């Protein structure tokens, strides 16, 4: 999964709040947490470097106050970083003029907010059409497009409702539809489901995955919920005190956490949810197989099938070549938590 | 307070420390009061040296004269500017006035011929009733219609329409100006910083003081009155709007950026609509303040209901005064309920998406009203009673009110007189003598010291500087009279208002009743308060005091009730679990926690008291307000402005000291501020 072209990257991005942030970073200095605190500054983002591949769901995970929102706002330049570069399709966003930024945001970026940020005086239809309205798209065109995305998120029939007449989950569906109305290439979601009830949250996660399978956007998704991160992410970046601690696939995070802080999150995660067949297969073809399964399938999803068959299954890569095989024993090892890898 | 009792037992150390600080504070201030008494008794007033009272009034007068006679702003002179402003306001005003009062007339004098009658009284009532029904319910429509019908039946229609015409012009200008200023403040923080002190000053300078320079610049007449009204009613709109724009959730602003809004789009399409419910509250305030000011501005030629009251007060025509006062009350209540209903409507029901069909079907309200206007206009041509309310059908209650008040005065003369005399002898005069006997250096020192205790060196400097300004006006005695009247009124208002607030918070029914009364009292223009007190107590300090107390009561009640209600329920539960009696819950938990809020209420009470005091100059007080009033009648600009600034200085000192005290109390309790 690592051979996607890079869509969005940030290099050495800092965001420091306080009386004189520039001085702390003068001459390319890289102050540590203690230095920043001692000078009465807040290091909201410290030296963040990451790449997001095209079509990837990149999740940034961390506790409240760890700097996730600030980082994603640096990526969209809602917040001006103190230092660093943000490369969007290889071009530094921080060098873009005001007018260029407006154009980029109008056509290439969409964002979903934790508290929905819907306009209270507009109907669902008008809210979703709003980003097109400010671009000056004619009413019939923008409303037709808005109806499309409203249907995509399953809100047909509610076009005439006002936000306050909708449940939290429905409001966030509007938020999602609105952010997709301009067909953005980059999709930012800042804790979109955190304000929702757990059951609704799960439903929205499924919905989100369904929409993404259709649209294949490049996504930066913020959450403080590790389970959510694991369910959705292609890759996860763990953040703490403004710094990125580890960037890895859910599987790598769980199997080899970079430090105790990350290990604390991963300890209670059921392995079967993250471990893929590629990880537990025996390389090479088997003599006789019951069927073929993709290497990136997670154990949880295919366990029943493998266990229920007396024969092993072949494991194939994305090109359909057989790269190994896996039997019931290996799956059971994962399920009961025996050491693997 | 003994520690170990009730809830204090649970936190003995905090209780002890708290009471220790209290005790020290009490000793300190007790000592200061004792020293003041001693100084008043044995030293007495110290004359203010001539060198300390420069002729500031003369400077202001000269400056204004220079502005009017000489000042050249490059392309045009200042005089041309004021003329232009007057013309811009004059034009729409005469249009609205024609529609409501005068009609359109061709020719002059005896050859005048009416081309078009003004709107029929039936049409106006239909319009306001339809507005009420549209904004809330048929009940409100009927109520507002009845209020206006009252104006017609009791013969106040023309005056009321003159007043209404002024309001219809002043409110849009005030709202638009307020919006413009606060959007500018939102765009440019530097502009906001410059604006803040000006707004502070505008809200503390008493109303009459506005009138003096405006009278000088714009002359006597409705336009000058309108300008004064706009200037007076705009600052609250600026404040409300600034606050409303700031309290739009930050995510909405971020969304606007992400949607690629330009600055203009962001303001027009996101911020203002999202802030609309709050803005409507501001509009309501502008309407009520405009009404208040339009009434007072009858002194510089606004005419209308205010003029009726003023006239009646001058002639001591009791019946006419009460009648005009009731008419103002009806108008005020109708306007208030109507604009509140609109505010609530924008918060609840967003503008309904357009129904389909032709114009009349899409706008049922407008088309009905248009029909009524047209119908009454046509009928008015043949049926005079439709065009204007028939004089024969006017009911006058003048005689009734006159007789009633006379009867009260005859029947209760001794009682009323006894109350008045007792109060004057035992409370008011001693306080007045005490304050007037204080040497001014000591007063300044105490003001500075209080500032230092509550807010450190900056506040001490503010207190001393403003006190010195008051001294420099050369009106020290009048200023101390103002302090005395205001002080006594505030203490009485607190003694009445705080218990009422406690009652309102304790009992829902009482809360509703008290809230209703207080709300109604607050909608009344300050002028109206003078009428009953003059009827019962004639002129003088006591009459003034009663009017001030009534006018300034509302915030003491409202903030107390709000403060008590917003004490966190866990704290009360904790108290009950500790075995507090209901009384102890009130005195040990709720009142101490509500203290900062109560202080803020008192602060508002002081501000209202000062603004009312100036108006009571009409009933013969001898304070700074009287100076302003005299200056107004003599058109002595400088003297009026300086005396007005003197009142403002007193108001600002009180405001800063109490705000600092409340902040202190809040910090000690670790509380956050909410709004009542
Ligand atoms: N405008 C600001 N001024 C000062 N400090 C800020 C500002 N915005 C965020 N911070 C601080 O930066 C840190 C990271 O905040 P945030 O990015 O909102 O965290 P998260 O989204 O992970 O909860 C926090 O300590 C927060 O207090
Ligand atoms: Mg956040």
């Amino acid at each position: 999964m690592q051979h996607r072209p890079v869509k969005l990257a940030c290099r050495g991005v800092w965001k420091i709040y306080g009386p004189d942030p520039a001085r702390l970073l003068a001459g390319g200095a890289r102050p540590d947490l203690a230095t920043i605190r001692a000078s009465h500054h807040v290091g909201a983002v410290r030296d963040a470097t990451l790449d997001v591949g095209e079509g990837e769901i990149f999740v940034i995970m961390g506790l409240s106050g760890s700097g996730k929102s600030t980082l994603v706002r640096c990526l969209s330049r809602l917040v001006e970083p103190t230092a660093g570069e943000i490369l969007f399709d290889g071009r530094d966003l921080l060098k873009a003029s005001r007018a260029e930024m407006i154009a980029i945001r109008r056509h290439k970026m969409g964002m979903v907010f934790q508290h929905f940020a819907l306009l209270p005086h507009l109907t669902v239809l008008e809210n979703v059409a709003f980003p097109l309205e400010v671009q000056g798209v004619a009413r019939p065109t923008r409303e037709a497009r808005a109806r499309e995305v409203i249907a995509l998120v399953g809100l047909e029939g509610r076009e005439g409702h006002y936000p306050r007449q909708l449940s939290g989950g429905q409001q966030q569906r509007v938020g999602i539809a609105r952010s997709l109305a301009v067909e953005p290439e980059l999709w930012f979601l800042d804790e979109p489901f955190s304000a929702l009830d757990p059951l609704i949250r799960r439903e929205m996660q499924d919905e989100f995955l369904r929409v993404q399978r259709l649209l294949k956007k490049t996504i930066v998704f913020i959450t403080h919920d590790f389970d959510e991160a694991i369910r959705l992410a292609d890759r996860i970046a763990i953040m703490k005190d403004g710094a990125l601690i580890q960037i890895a696939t859910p599987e790598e995070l769980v199997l080899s956490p970079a430090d105790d802080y990350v290990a604390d999150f991963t300890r209670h995660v059921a392995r079967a949810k993250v471990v893929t067949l590629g990880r537990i297969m025996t390389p090479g073809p088997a003599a006789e197989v019951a069927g073929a399964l993709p290497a990136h399938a997670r154990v949880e999803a295919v366990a029943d099938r493998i266990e229920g068959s007396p024969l092993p299954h072949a494991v194939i890569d994305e090109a359909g070549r057989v790269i190994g095989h896996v039997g019931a024993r290996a799956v059971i090892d994962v399920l009961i938590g025996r050491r693997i890898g | 307070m003994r520690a170990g009792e009730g809830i204090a037992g649970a936190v003995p150390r905090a209780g002890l420390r708290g009471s220790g600080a209290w005790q020290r504070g009490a000793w300190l201030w007790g000592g200061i009061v004792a020293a003041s008494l001693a100084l008043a008794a044995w030293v007495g007033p110290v004359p203010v040296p001539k060198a300390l009272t420069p002729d500031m009034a003369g400077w202001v007068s000269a400056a204004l004269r220079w502005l009017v006679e000489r000042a050249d702003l490059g392309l045009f002179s200042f005089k041309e500017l004021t003329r232009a402003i007057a013309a811009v306001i004059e034009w729409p005003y005469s249009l609205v006035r024609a529609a409501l009062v005068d009609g359109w007339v061709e020719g002059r004098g005896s050859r005048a011929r009416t081309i078009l009658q003004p709107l029929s009284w039936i049409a106006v009532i239909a319009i306001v009733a339809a507005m009420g029904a549209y904004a809330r319910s048929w009940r409100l429509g009927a109520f507002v219609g009845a209020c206006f019908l009252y104006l017609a039946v009791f013969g106040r229609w023309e005056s009321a329409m003159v007043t209404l015409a002024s309001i219809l012009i002043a409110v849009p200008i005030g709202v638009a100006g307020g919006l413009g200023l606060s959007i500018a403040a939102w765009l440019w923080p530097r502009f906001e910083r410059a604006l803040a002190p000006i707004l502070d000053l505008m809200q503390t300078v008493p109303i009459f003081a506005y009138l003096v320079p405006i009278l000088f610049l714009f002359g006597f007449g409705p336009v000058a009155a309108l300008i004064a009204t706009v200037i007076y009613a705009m600052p609250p709109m600026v404040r409300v709007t600034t606050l409303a724009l700031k309290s739009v959730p930050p995510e909405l602003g971020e969304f606007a950026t992400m949607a690629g809004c330009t600055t203009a789009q962001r303001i027009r399409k996101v911020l203002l609509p999202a802030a609309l419910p709050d803005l409507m509250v501001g509009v309501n305030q502008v309407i009520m303040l405009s009404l208040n000011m339009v009434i007072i501005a009858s002194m510089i030629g606004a005419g209308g209901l205010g003029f009726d009251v003023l006239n009646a007060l001058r002639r001591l025509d009791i019946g006419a005064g009460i009648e005009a006062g009731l008419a103002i009350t009806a108008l005020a209540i109708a306007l208030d309920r109507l604009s509140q209903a609109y505010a609530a409507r924008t918060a609840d029901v967003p503008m309904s998406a357009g129904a389909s069909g032709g114009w009349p079907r899409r706008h049922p309200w407008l088309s009905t009203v248009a029909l009524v206007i047209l119908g009454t206009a046509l009928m008015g041509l043949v049926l005079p009673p439709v065009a204007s309310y028939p004089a024969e059908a006017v009911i006058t209650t003048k005689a009734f009110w006159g007789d009633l008040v006379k009867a009260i005065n005859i029947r209760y003369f001794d009682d009323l007189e006894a109350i008045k005399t007792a109060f004057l002898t035992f409370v008011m005069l001693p306080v007045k003598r005490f304050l007037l006997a204080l040497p001014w250096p000591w007063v300044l020192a105490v003001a500075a010291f209080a500032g230092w205790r509550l807010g450190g060196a900056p506040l001490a400097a503010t207190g001393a500087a403003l006190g010195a300004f008051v001294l420099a006006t050369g009106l020290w005695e009048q200023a101390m009279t103002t302090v005395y009247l205001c002080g006594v009124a505030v203490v009485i208002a607190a003694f009445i208002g705080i218990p009422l607030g406690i009652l309102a918070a304790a009992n829902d029914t009482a809360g509703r009743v008290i809230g209703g009364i207080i709300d109604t009292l607050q909608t009344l223009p300050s002028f109206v308060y003078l009428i009953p007190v003059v009827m019962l107590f004639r002129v003088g300090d006591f009459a003034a005091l009663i009017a001030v107390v009534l006018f300034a009561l509302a915030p003491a009640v409202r903030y107390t009730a709000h403060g008590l209600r917003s004490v966190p329920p866990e704290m009360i539960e904790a108290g009950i679990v500790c075995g507090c009696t209901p009384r102890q819950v009130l005195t040990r938990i709720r009142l101490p926690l509500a203290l900062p809020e109560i202080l803020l209420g008192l602060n508002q009470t002081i501000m209202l008291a000062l603004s009312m005091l100036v108006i009571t100059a009409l009933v013969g007080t001898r304070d700074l307000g009287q100076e302003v009033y005299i200056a107004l009648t003599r058109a002595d600009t400088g003297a009026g402005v300086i005396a007005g600034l003197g009142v403002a200085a007193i108001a600002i000192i009180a405001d800063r000291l109490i705000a600092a005290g409340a902040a202190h109390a809040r910090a000690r309790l670790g509380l956050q501020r909410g709004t009542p």
Side-chain angles (χ1 to χ4, degrees):
Chain A
M1 294 207 124
Q2 285 311 306
H3 26 262
R4 308 167 192 264
V6 172
K7 186 82 184 166
L8 178 71
C10 77
R11 303 262 170 272
V13 165
W14 292 77
K15 179 66 195 179
I16 295 182
Y17 288 108
D20 188 6
R23 184 178 51 88
L24 275 177
L25 298 180
R30 303 173 51 164
D32 60 12
L33 200 57
T35 319
I36 297 175
R37 286 203 180 136
S39 59
H40 304 290
H41 288 76
V42 178
V45 173
R46 296 185 293 129
D47 205 9
T49 296
L50 54 83
D51 293 320
V52 183
E54 195 164 332
E56 183 180 24
I57 303 182
F58 189 91
V59 173
I60 301 176
M61 207 307 291
L63 298 180
S64 165
S66 56
K68 311 178 294 291
S69 293
T70 310
L71 177 54
V72 79
R73 279 162 177 71
C74 287
L75 294 178
S76 58
R77 221 182 148 194
L78 280 170
V79 160
E80 203 66 32
T82 316
E85 358 179 73
I86 312 283
L87 302 171
F88 176 35
D89 281 339
R91 137 157 205 260
D92 192 351
L93 274 191
L94 301 182
K95 299 212 168 74
S97 72
R98 234 175 106 86
E100 284 168 328
M101 265 329 285
I102 287 184
I104 291 173
R105 290 194 182 112
R106 280 186 174 179
H107 301 290
K108 307 212 160 153
M109 290 180 176
M111 184 155 178
V112 179
F113 297 88
Q114 180 172 0
H115 301 289
F116 323 139
L118 301 181
L119 297 169
H121 61 293
L122 300 183
T123 61
V124 168
L125 186 68
E126 290 162 340
N127 259 296
V128 174
F130 185 88
L132 297 166
E133 187 193 335
V134 298
Q135 295 177 18
V137 176
R139 181 182 290 268
T141 322
R142 68 177 191 245
E143 289 195 344
R145 170 67 190 152
R147 281 178 208 283
E148 269 171 43
V149 266
I150 289 171
L152 179 69
V153 299
L155 278 180
E156 299 105 319
R158 312 251 174 207
E159 289 87 351
H161 285 54
Y162 285 92
R164 88 185 111 248
Q165 299 168 314
L166 302 176
S167 69
Q170 288 171 330
Q171 291 192 31
Q172 195 57 298
R173 283 169 196 256
V174 179
I176 288 174
R178 183 178 65 180
S179 67
L180 292 174
V182 297
E183 302 186 60
E185 295 169 18
L186 264 181
W187 197 18
F188 299 110
L189 301 98
D190 185 8
E191 305 212 23
F193 309 141
S194 297
L196 305 177
D197 291 339
L199 278 178
I200 308 287
R201 196 181 303 168
R202 219 172 152 87
E203 188 188 316
M204 294 291 288
Q205 288 164 359
D206 293 337
E207 192 71 19
F208 167 78
L209 287 173
R210 182 181 67 79
V211 169
Q212 168 63 359
R213 267 195 295 277
L214 291 174
L215 303 180
K216 304 203 166 51
K217 304 286 180 200
T218 303
I219 294 175
V220 178
F221 188 109
I222 309 288
T223 180
H224 65 249
D225 175 354
F226 195 65
D227 288 332
E228 183 168 84
I230 286 174
R231 282 199 80 201
L232 304 181
D234 290 323
R235 281 187 305 148
I236 300 177
I238 305 270
M239 225 177 157
K240 182 193 177 200
D241 295 332
L244 295 168
I245 307 276
Q246 186 174 11
I247 301 177
T249 62
E251 186 175 35
E252 284 163 1
L253 273 185
V254 170
L255 297 181
S256 43
D259 63 8
D260 291 348
Y261 183 79
V262 181
D264 270 349
F265 284 112
T266 60
R267 188 159 300 135
H268 303 290
V269 175
R271 307 281 126 148
K273 281 188 182 169
V274 291
V275 173
T276 60
L277 293 185
R279 184 90 188 194
I280 57 168
M281 69 184 184
T282 314
E288 207 182 344
V289 292
L293 292 168
H296 62 79
R298 295 191 179 174
V299 169
E300 187 186 43
V302 295
D304 284 350
R305 205 165 139 195
I306 299 174
E307 276 177 341
S309 141
L311 291 174
H313 279 71
V315 176
I316 52 175
D317 66 8
E318 273 153 41
R321 284 176 309 227
V322 175
I323 50 172
H325 61 278
V326 59
R329 164 81 198 212
V331 168
I332 289 167
D333 280 351
V334 174
L335 289 174
I336 64 174
R338 221 175 269 153
R339 270 200 73 78
I340 41 170
Chain B
M1 165 164 131
R2 261 178 303 140
E5 254 179 43
I7 181 99
V11 277
R13 302 182 105 233
L16 274 177
R17 220 185 305 142
S19 66
W22 268 116
Q23 253 162 33
R24 249 177 294 130
W27 275 113
L28 184 67
W29 291 111
I32 289 178
V33 171
S36 305
L37 283 170
L39 280 169
W42 287 298
V43 179
V46 178
V48 183
K50 262 254 151 356
L52 292 184
T53 58
D55 180 23
M56 293 193 290
W59 303 341
V60 172
S61 292
L64 273 170
R65 219 172 307 121
W66 174 82
L67 258 184
V68 172
E69 285 164 11
R70 300 258 157 72
D72 195 346
L73 307 175
L75 295 177
F76 44 81
S77 72
F78 187 79
K79 194 157 196 172
E80 282 162 342
L81 178 69
T82 57
R83 288 232 176 100
I85 293 175
V88 166
I89 292 178
E90 171 99 57
W91 183 75
Y93 174 74
S94 52
L95 205 69
V96 174
R97 211 181 134 120
L100 287 177
V101 193
D102 302 331
W104 278 270
V105 182
E106 198 186 49
R108 281 167 185 278
S110 56
R111 306 210 306 166
R113 196 168 58 89
T114 305
I115 306 172
L116 202 57
Q117 293 278 346
L119 282 180
S120 150
W121 56 281
I122 300 176
V124 174
I125 291 177
I127 293 172
V128 292
M131 286 169 78
Y134 170 78
R136 179 165 296 154
S137 63
W138 283 107
R139 267 186 59 189
L140 181 71
F143 175 78
V144 176
C147 284
F148 273 69
L149 187 63
Y150 173 94
L151 299 172
V153 172
F154 287 90
R156 295 284 150 196
W157 187 259
E158 255 190 37
S159 298
M161 289 307 110
V162 171
T163 300
L164 191 61
S166 300
I167 290 174
L168 286 178
I169 297 304
V171 169
I173 300 177
V175 168
L179 276 179
L181 286 176
S182 40
I183 287 173
W186 182 84
L187 283 174
W188 302 293
R190 218 185 280 170
F191 181 73
E192 185 182 3
R193 277 197 295 281
L195 198 61
I198 299 176
L199 288 178
D200 272 354
L201 198 65
M202 284 174 76
Q203 287 205 320
T204 44
V205 167
I207 303 179
F208 283 179
Y210 281 99
L211 299 184
V212 196
I214 285 172
L215 185 63
F216 184 71
L217 295 178
F218 295 94
F220 188 89
V223 171
L226 269 176
I227 291 170
T229 304
V230 168
I231 294 178
Y232 174 71
M234 207 183 323
M237 187 70 199
V238 178
R239 265 177 215 276
V240 169
T241 310
T242 308
L243 213 67
L245 288 179
K246 280 194 181 144
S247 57
V248 170
E251 275 192 351
L252 269 183
E254 291 180 338
F255 160 66
T257 312
M258 286 308 288
C261 287
T262 59
T263 306
Q265 283 175 327
R266 167 197 290 269
I267 292 172
R268 198 161 43 85
K269 293 181 181 254
V270 178
L271 293 179
L272 286 182
L276 190 64
D278 288 345
L279 297 185
M280 288 303 289
V281 174
V283 173
N284 170 264
Q285 284 195 21
V286 172
I287 293 177
M288 300 322 288
L289 289 173
S290 296
L291 178 62
N292 186 22
M293 190 63 177
V294 163
I295 301 288
I296 290 167
S298 59
M299 295 189 165
I300 59 169
L305 291 171
F307 181 73
D308 294 355
V309 174
L310 191 66
N311 219 359
L313 279 180
R314 283 190 183 140
R315 287 184 288 123
L316 278 181
D317 178 347
I318 293 171
I322 293 187
E323 226 177 48
L326 286 175
I328 295 177
T329 306
L331 186 61
I333 292 179
L335 290 178
D336 182 52
R337 296 292 135 85
L338 206 53
S339 54
Q340 276 191 13
Y342 269 90
R345 193 186 146 82
T346 45
D348 293 350
V349 204
M351 285 125 264
S352 49
S356 54
W359 194 86
R361 192 179 280 239
R362 270 182 290 128
H363 303 277
W365 294 100
L366 282 182
S367 36
T368 313
V369 164
L371 266 182
V372 173
I373 293 176
L374 207 67
T376 50
L378 291 176
M379 277 163 68
L381 294 177
V382 283
L383 283 176
V386 173
S388 56
Y389 190 81
E392 316 82 80
V394 168
I395 303 173
T396 176
T397 46
K398 272 186 210 171
F400 166 74
W401 292 114
D403 291 346
L404 182 70
V405 172
K406 205 179 284 168
I408 292 177
N409 273 331
I410 292 171
R411 175 100 171 60
Y412 298 105
F413 180 82
D414 293 336
D415 302 323
L416 290 174
E417 204 61 19
I419 296 174
K420 179 172 156 182
T421 316
F423 207 79
L424 273 171
T425 327
F426 295 113
V427 181
M428 296 177 71
L429 288 179
V431 174
K432 182 178 186 178
R433 251 181 251 125
F434 163 63
L435 282 175
L436 286 178
L438 283 177
W440 60 263
W442 173 252
V443 177
L444 293 192
V446 171
F449 179 72
W452 178 72
R453 283 279 296 184
L454 292 170
L459 194 54
T462 310
L466 290 173
F469 174 79
V470 173
L471 186 74
T473 58
L475 300 168
W476 184 256
E477 204 167 294
Q478 289 90 330
M480 289 316 277
T481 310
T482 299
V483 171
Y484 128 77
L485 274 172
C486 176
V488 175
V490 167
V491 170
I492 297 175
F495 265 107
I496 301 173
I498 293 176
L500 278 180
I502 293 175
L503 187 64
N507 179 320
D508 274 350
T509 319
R512 260 197 307 278
V513 173
I514 294 174
I517 296 173
I518 288 290
D519 281 349
T520 309
L521 275 182
Q522 272 212 315
T523 53
L524 299 188
S526 39
F527 236 48
V528 173
Y529 287 77
L530 293 180
I531 300 164
V533 299
V534 170
M535 308 293 129
L536 297 178
F537 300 106
R538 285 169 306 281
V539 296
D541 281 6
F542 188 69
L545 184 80
I546 304 284
V548 173
V549 168
L550 284 177
F551 185 73
L553 192 59
V557 180
R558 197 171 278 162
Y559 279 75
T560 304
H562 177 258
L564 288 175
R565 281 204 202 98
S566 48
V567 170
E570 316 87 82
M571 302 226 181
I572 295 166
E573 282 165 6
I576 295 171
V577 171
C578 290
C580 286
T581 62
R583 204 193 153 75
Q584 284 172 322
V585 170
L586 180 66
T587 56
R588 294 301 173 84
I589 299 172
R590 297 182 72 173
L591 279 177
L593 285 172
L595 183 69
E597 200 70 18
I598 296 175
L599 280 176
L600 290 176
L602 281 186
N603 193 2
Q604 292 297 310
T605 294
I606 295 178
M607 298 303 127
L608 287 184
L610 281 171
S611 72
M612 184 70 200
L613 250 186
V614 176
I615 292 164
T616 60
L618 282 175
V619 296
T621 51
R622 306 234 61 85
D623 61 344
L624 282 177
Q626 188 64 247
E627 294 299 318
V628 182
Y629 181 54
I630 293 171
L632 180 62
T633 52
R634 289 193 196 140
D636 182 348
T637 334
V641 169
I642 293 301
L645 286 176
V647 179
I650 295 174
I652 293 174
I653 294 177
D655 176 68
R656 296 295 184 276
L657 288 182
I658 293 181
H664 249 268
R666 222 167 23 243
R668 215 184 45 219
L669 298 169
L671 298 177
Q672 297 266 314
R673 165 115 173 90
T675 43

